[in-house]
């Protein structure tokens, strides 16, 4: 344990209650644990932290961990609370994402509790509604149990005529707090549904409970208002229905408590991602000194030290030092990756045993982790096309249920057994309660929320729910070659001269030109010329789909494909035979011209990813046709395709032609997914029914796609399709449960079985069934978190 350090004379006064300096006598001093507020004797403290010269003591190791993660949260509680107050946070409805408001509340359309639009670890978890519902549930349960005892036979055990005459009033006293206080949130939402002309589950609950309670109050205090047909011949009184009203409230509250708790688990994936981010970083100042700063103080261009075992603080480039980095949280790949100067690193990945300095390139919301969190959050709130079915049914479902309840009441009051009107009320209430469409509304959003979270943990990011639903229907997968089937890190293989220039001179001039280009093949050429001294370029021009050219040392240097040579009327006949041989080996061959005279060829080969062959096999086995679409020439593309088992190849295509190929396939009735990683793939990614961006690629490609594979591996497509299938299957299960439950429950509650079997559904059991149906839908959705794929 560190010894207390001397106090900073300028520290804020509020620190004194929690911290002490080294002059303080520890034997006679008590301090406050800044996390939980408990009084702690420093000599008996379970943990200690030092911050800005002040020592803080903790009652438990758990409190110390919380403090170390975010000291400002506990040292500036008022300021922090103002910044993270739930009133300053946007909330939305999981069933109606178009509903957005500042601060918590309930949805005006369905009455469901709103959830934060964006989950944040800084934000205090708002479980106030869960705690409120839980408290109301226990009060409702405590008062409903004696009420049930009385009505279910308890009154017959007491022979006092006075008590017998008072039982109705005792029921009233027990039921009134349950209905009017415990059930008050339901009546508020009931009124809101009427005001917004948006009938929902709380419309039915409010009607059912309200009718039962008001009927019973009038029957108790004004029995003379009722005709003789309302009087139960067994008791001589008008039937009271305080206990169904109370028990319905208790059971609906139970359903709400279970639902709110389960819904809290759907955000676990985002919280797990957020927990990956480091809280602080070591910044190297211009004078060489080092400071530990919070993440919000880091700016682009800052240099940061990453020590062994620490998390990489930001996305950036290694400036000096070497180490291995565990990138499994991003890629799912368990083996650490070697990092040297010039290599990119991703924030929140874990450094191994080495030490290095990283220059910050992306910070805050621009970092890869922040983008992943945002994409997962957006996808969880999006709506799948299948949800439209549930929405259309819900739109007329509640009015239809109210009509069914009225019909039930009329039928029982005319043709029912005595007391007719009592049975009419009971069965109408049972219809209203059992038909609550909560399970129907939850069926799709819950599955989407859980599935997107599960996928994110596997390095698969869905842009929206539509992408999840559509991916399973794909029957043609179009893939780019470079960076998708291959590593995307080509290597220089051969330089051959067809002029008076030496191979080194051709390579030097071309590398000088290509250092201005961002194309992967250009990088390979520059890397292959590392032993040569490069010159300067002027008038650099990139010709899309053909090549590049520039003035190098007063000479026009051009490098590209045969189209570039043809445009300049440069003959390459002398090199065609050898070029074809290289292409047959999977090489990409580029022609070089100097001063519009053919000078030679340069070949580059891109190693095939180890997982490509297995992934293609699995995709073909599942009935998906795989087509390679590339700007490379036919011979090279065919060689690569053959090695991984792809039968269909479309080569020598320009970026705009890729889109045309996608359109042609769609015109044939195909459901097309396109996988690519470059800027030139972006139009085709946007055109396909599902665009799949390999995460090793460009931001433009990722923004154009519906699915992003963080690892950039074709195996990820196999997993993404498996998630799509599992999710849609789960949604259909949920919708079946909801539809089947309502289709079966409403007729039973209306009393259709009574003429045949003498069976009636008590409103209390209807409420229990209604609550459990919602919980079962959520439980089924949560299965996706652990389902084998």
């Amino acid at each position: 344990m560190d010894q207390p350090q001397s106090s900073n004379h300028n520290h804020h006064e509020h620190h004194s209650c929690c911290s002490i300096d080294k002059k303080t006598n520890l034997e006679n001093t008590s301090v406050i644990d800044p996390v939980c507020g408990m009084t702690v004797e420093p000599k008996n403290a379970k943990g200690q932290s030092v911050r800005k010269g002040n020592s803080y003591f903790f009652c438990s190791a758990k409190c110390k961990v919380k403090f170390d993660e975010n000291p400002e949260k506990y040292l500036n509680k008022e300021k922090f609370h103002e910044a993270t107050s739930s009133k300053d946070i946007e909330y939305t409805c999981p069933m109606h994402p178009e509903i957005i408001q500042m601060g918590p509340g309930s949805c005006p359309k369905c009455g469901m509790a709103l959830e934060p639009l964006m989950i944040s670890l800084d934000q205090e978890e708002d479980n106030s509604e869960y705690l409120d519902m839980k408290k109301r549930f226990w009060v409702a349960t405590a008062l409903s149990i004696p009420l049930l005892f009385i009505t279910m036979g308890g009154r017959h055990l007491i022979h006092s005529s006075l008590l017998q005459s008072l039982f109705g009033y005792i029921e009233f006293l027990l039921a009134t707090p349950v209905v009017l206080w415990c059930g008050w949130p339901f009546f508020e939402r009931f009124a809101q549904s009427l005001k917004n002309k948006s009938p929902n589950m709380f419309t039915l609950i409010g009607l059912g409970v309200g009718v039962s309670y008001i009927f019973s109050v009038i029957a108790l205090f004004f029995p003379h208002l009722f005709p003789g047909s309302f009087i139960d011949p067994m008791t001589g009184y008008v039937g009271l229905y305080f206990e169904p009203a109370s028990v319905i409230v208790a059971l609906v509250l139970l359903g709400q408590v279970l639902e709110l708790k389960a819904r809290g688990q759907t955000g676990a994936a985002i919280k797990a991602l957020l927990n990956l981010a480091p809280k602080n970083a070591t910044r190297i100042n211009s004078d060489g000194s080092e400071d530990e700063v919070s993440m919000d103080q880091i700016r682009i261009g800052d240099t940061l030290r990453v020590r062994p075992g620490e998390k990489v603080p930001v996305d950036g480039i290694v400036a000096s030092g070497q180490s291995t980095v565990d990138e499994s949280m991003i890629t799912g790949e368990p083996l650490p990756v070697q990092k040297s100067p010039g290599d990119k690193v991703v924030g929140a990945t874990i450094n191994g045993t080495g030490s290095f300095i990283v220059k910050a390139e992306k910070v805050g919301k621009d970092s890869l982790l922040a983008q992943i969190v945002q994409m997962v959050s957006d996808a969880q709130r999006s709506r799948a096309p299948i949800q439209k079915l549930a929405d259309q049914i819900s739109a007329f479902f509640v009015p239809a249920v109210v009509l069914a309840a009225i019909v039930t009441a009329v039928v029982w009051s005319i043709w029912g057994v005595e007391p007719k009107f009592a049975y009419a009320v009971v069965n109408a209430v049972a219809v209203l309660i059992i038909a609550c469409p909560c399970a129907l509304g939850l069926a799709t959003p819950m599955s989407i929320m859980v599935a997107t979270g599960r996928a994110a943990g596997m390095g698969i990011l869905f842009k929206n729910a539509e992408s999840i639903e559509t991916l399973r229907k794909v029957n043609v997968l179009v893939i780019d070659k470079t960076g998708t089937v291959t590593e995307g890190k080509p290597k220089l293989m051969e330089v051959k001269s067809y002029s008076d220039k030496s191979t080194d001179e051709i390579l030097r001039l071309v590398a000088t030109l290509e250092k201005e280009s961002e194309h992967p093949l250009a990088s390979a050429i520059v890397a292959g010329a590392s032993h040569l001294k490069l010159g300067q370029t002027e008038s650099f021009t990139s010709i899309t789909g053909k090549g590049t050219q520039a003035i190098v040392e007063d000479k026009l240097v051009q490098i590209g494909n045969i189209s570039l040579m043809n445009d300049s009327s440069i003959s390459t006949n002398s090199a065609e035979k050898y070029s074809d041989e290289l292409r047959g080996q999977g090489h990409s061959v580029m022609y070089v011209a100097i001063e519009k005279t053919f000078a030679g060829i340069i070949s580059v080969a891109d190693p095939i990813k180890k997982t490509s062959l297995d992934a293609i096999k699995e995709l073909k086995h599942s009935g998906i046709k795989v087509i390679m679409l590339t700007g490379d020439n036919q011979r090279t593309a065919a060689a690569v395709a053959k090695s991984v088992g792809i039968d269909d190849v479309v080569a020598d295509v320009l970026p705009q032609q890729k889109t045309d190929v996608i359109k042609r396939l769609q015109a044939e009735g195909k459901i097309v997914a396109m996988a690519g990683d470059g800027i030139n793939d972006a139009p085709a990614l946007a055109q396909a029914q599902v665009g799949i961006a390999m995460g090793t690629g460009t931001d433009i490609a990722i923004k154009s796609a519906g699915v992003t594979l963080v690892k950039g591996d074709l195996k990820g497509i196999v997993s993404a399709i498996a998630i799509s299938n599992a999710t849609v299957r789960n949604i259909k299960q949920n919708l079946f449960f909801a539809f089947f439950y309502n289709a079966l429950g409403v007729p039973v509650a209306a009393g259709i079985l009574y003429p045949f079997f003498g069976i009636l559904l008590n409103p209390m059991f209807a409420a229990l069934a209604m609550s459990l149906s919602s919980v079962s839908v959520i439980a089924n959705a949560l299965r996706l978190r652990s389902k084998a794929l």
Side-chain angles (χ1 to χ4, degrees), residues 698-765:
T698 63
D699 289 343
I700 294 175
I702 290 170
K703 287 176 181 176
S704 301
V707 183
T708 298
L709 305 180
V710 176
K711 188 178 177 183
D713 188 330
L714 283 175
K715 275 277 192 180
I717 298 179
V718 177
S719 298
I721 292 172
I723 289 174
S724 173
N725 280 313
T727 304
V728 174
R729 189 162 54 246
N730 191 270
I731 290 171
K732 288 180 176 178
Q733 289 167 354
N734 285 346
L735 289 172
F736 172 78
F737 291 150
F739 285 131
F740 178 77
Y741 160 79
N742 282 304
L744 184 66
V746 171
V748 172
I752 196 171
L753 298 179
Y754 188 79
F756 309 102
F757 306 104
I759 296 174
L760 285 176
L761 186 64
N762 190 299
M764 293 183 292
F765 293 109

Side-chain angles (χ1 to χ4, degrees), residues 121 271-279 311 329-330 347-349 369:
L121 288 179
K271 289 181 181 178
L273 288 169
L274 289 169
N275 271 315
L276 294 172
K279 307 295 184 294
K311 290 182 178 180
M329 54 78 66
I330 293 292
T349 53
L369 182 63

Side-chain angles (χ1 to χ4, degrees), residues 212-223:
S212 300
Y213 180 75
I214 293 170
F215 176 91
S216 301
V217 169
I218 296 172
L220 176 64
F221 292 101
F222 308 101

